[in-house]
Amino acid sequence: MAIRIDEVRLHHLRMELVHFFETSFGRTYTREIVLVEAVAGGVSGWGEVTCGEHPFYNEEWTESAWLLLKNYIVPPALGREFESAAMVGAASAGIKGHKMARGGFEAACWDLEARLKGVPLWKLIGGGARREIPCGVSIGIQDSVRQLLEKIRREVEAGYQRIKMKIKPGWDVDVIREVRREFPSILLMADANSAYRLSDIEHLRRLDEFGLMMIEQPLAHDEIIDHAELQRALATPICLDECIRSAHHAEQAIRLGACRIINIKLGRVGGFTEAIAVHGVAQRNGIPVWPGGMLESGVGRCHNIAMATLANFTLPGDISAIRIYWKRDIIDPWVEVTPRGTIEIRDDPGFGWPLDREQLAAVRVREETLRPR
Ligand code: OSB
Ligand code: MG
């Protein structure tokens, strides 16, 4: 079934987090999210651009994504027929970088295709390996160790299967030791978001004593070779996040031994087609993957849930209940986590959860409709 994109609407949402979220690159209080609505024959498909408010996780941010979508990604696609959503990414392949902006549009087209066909998105992408997604939770850097321990206790009691804590120089070995003293047997991992250098190798080796499931992206966002050297020196598995922007990067990282686990983020790799390719490379090489998160609204969260039904997503990921992030979200009902620490998938066409259009309008600060000229 060919898809002809009639128009595309960009929505800029401003959503306040329940609690600030701090990583090694900064603190976020309010998310500025771009949603992409792709319309064909009166049916809308929805995608989310997962970049941050500032170019600190990678080079993208809300404003860059808006401009890229408006000036480069959407115009060539308007009024054009695509054989399927799988062909949409190739149409913007000439753009260097900006994969989160490209991925927001690409994901909207997959959601649109699923709705036009009346099938759930997880089915369209070839997922469905499980009906329940194993969930972990990502806990930011806190003002005190006591606060961190309280948060971890709350989420462990809620049933989350693994805890990820953010680390940075000055908030690492000593803090993890406290966490381990309090919670000796939980599945625990640490995410550094590129805060260290290879010269920190002796310091990072001290993490080996804590039995972490993995350490995520310790070194620079674009540095695969040093990660390979670090991995040779560490017992703890390295998981790459920022470094893996394509299936080709996954191949290189695995070939060099730079990681034993990969975090796949839909936006970071430019959408579903590339995410499926990264998943395939990892699967063929015996590397388990899990779904990363970028503090998404319900729309992006549901896309991640669909992705996590692919067979090799065997580790609990950063997909957690909406209440952890938002007072009110733009989907209704909310995504909930079972006492088993899982999310049950749904069979509605598209991403599976109904949009709350009233709330969408309430948090929208800018809207623009792009039509063929
Ligand atoms: O590196 O995984 C990351 C949030 C913002 C930017 C980068 C990261 C994160 C998270 C949050 O860890 C994951 C989530 O959405 O639950
Ligand atoms: Mg990460």
Side-chain angles (χ1 to χ4, degrees):
M1 177 206 298
I3 311 170
R4 187 177 176 283
I5 311 285
D6 298 326
E7 59 181 32
V8 171
R9 219 165 350 266
L10 305 181
H11 307 257
H12 175 170
L13 316 182
R14 182 165 296 152
M15 291 170 65
E16 204 185 317
L17 291 166
V18 168
H19 186 272
F20 69 77
F21 191 88
E22 184 174 330
T23 68
S24 64
F25 58 79
R27 213 176 245 201
T28 305
Y29 291 89
T30 304
R31 293 281 287 114
E32 306 276 347
I33 294 172
V34 178
L35 283 193
V36 183
E37 179 184 3
V39 187
V43 176
S44 290
W46 296 84
E48 178 163 339
V49 178
T50 62
C51 63
E53 293 66 45
H54 304 285
F56 301 151
Y57 166 82
N58 63 9
E59 80 285 358
E60 301 188 73
W61 77 102
T62 311
E63 292 303 318
S64 73
W66 188 276
L67 290 175
L68 262 289
L69 281 158
K70 180 178 161 169
N71 295 328
Y72 291 97
I73 298 163
V74 174
L78 285 169
R80 203 180 130 177
E81 282 218 351
F82 290 98
E83 221 173 283
S84 69
M87 319 302 271
V88 169
S92 64
I95 298 168
K96 306 296 185 291
H98 301 285
K99 292 205 165 187
M100 290 173 160
R102 293 176 57 205
F105 178 58
E106 201 259 14
C109 292
W110 279 90
D111 186 53
L112 176 61
E113 181 176 341
R115 287 170 196 263
L116 289 169
K117 289 181 168 162
V119 298
L121 183 56
W122 57 260
K123 192 168 262 178
L124 186 66
I125 64 168
R130 55 192 68 80
R131 301 266 334 163
E132 290 187 33
I133 307 304
C135 299
V137 62
S138 175
I139 300 182
I141 293 162
Q142 307 295 315
D143 285 328
S144 69
V145 174
R146 192 179 51 80
Q147 276 177 347
L148 176 66
L149 295 176
E150 269 170 28
K151 282 210 151 190
I152 293 176
R153 178 164 310 283
R154 186 175 352 129
E155 307 310 356
V156 169
E157 280 170 5
Y160 286 97
Q161 296 185 15
R162 74 100 170 95
I163 299 291
K164 158 167 147 184
M165 54 182 284
K166 294 289 191 177
I167 58 168
K168 64 177 180 183
W171 182 272
D172 51 24
V173 177
D174 296 339
V175 181
I176 297 176
R177 181 172 296 113
E178 299 276 327
V179 172
R180 261 303 179 225
R181 188 169 19 226
E182 199 74 9
F183 305 97
S185 59
I186 57 169
L187 294 181
L188 182 66
M189 60 172 290
D191 185 0
N193 287 109
S194 306
Y196 299 91
R197 296 289 163 266
L198 190 56
S199 53
D200 297 318
I201 202 160
E202 284 312 316
H203 182 69
L204 292 169
R205 277 162 67 107
R206 296 174 62 199
L207 298 175
D208 275 345
E209 69 175 277
F210 301 117
L212 301 178
M213 284 179 92
M214 67 193 92
I215 175 170
E216 184 179 346
Q217 194 70 37
L219 307 180
H221 71 105
D222 55 357
E223 180 53 72
I224 291 178
I225 294 172
D226 284 356
H227 276 108
E229 189 165 341
L230 179 63
Q231 181 66 92
R232 283 193 289 276
L234 290 186
T236 307
I238 290 176
C239 169
L240 289 179
D241 173 352
E242 283 90 327
C243 274
I244 308 298
R245 292 159 171 249
S246 66
H248 180 64
H249 288 155
E251 266 162 16
Q252 290 180 316
I254 294 169
R255 177 147 45 97
L256 289 170
C259 63
R260 295 188 196 141
I261 299 170
I262 292 176
N263 157 341
I264 301 184
K265 288 180 179 166
L266 195 53
R268 195 194 65 223
V269 303
F272 277 106
T273 304
E274 199 64 21
I276 293 164
V278 173
H279 167 272
V281 166
Q283 188 171 38
R284 286 191 291 282
N285 287 280
I287 299 285
V289 303
W290 52 274
M294 289 296 291
L295 310 176
E296 288 93 343
S297 78
V299 172
R301 200 164 299 271
C302 292
H303 281 88
N304 293 342
I305 292 168
M307 179 179 77
T309 70
L310 293 168
N312 194 35
F313 279 87
T314 51
L315 297 173
D318 284 345
I319 309 179
S320 31
I322 278 168
R323 67 176 79 256
I324 292 186
Y325 294 108
W326 313 115
K327 283 201 193 75
R328 188 165 167 194
D329 198 1
I330 55 169
I331 57 169
D332 189 20
W334 291 19
V335 172
E336 302 279 4
V337 169
T338 68
R340 300 179 294 285
T342 63
I343 290 170
E344 293 168 329
I345 62 171
R346 290 166 54 108
D347 295 331
D348 298 20
F351 68 70
W353 272 257
L355 259 187
D356 180 346
R357 289 195 177 253
E358 196 181 306
Q359 183 60 10
L360 176 70
V363 297
R364 184 169 47 213
V365 294
R366 179 168 40 154
E367 181 182 355
E368 189 166 342
T369 302
L370 309 171
R371 297 195 178 84
R373 292 212 271 161

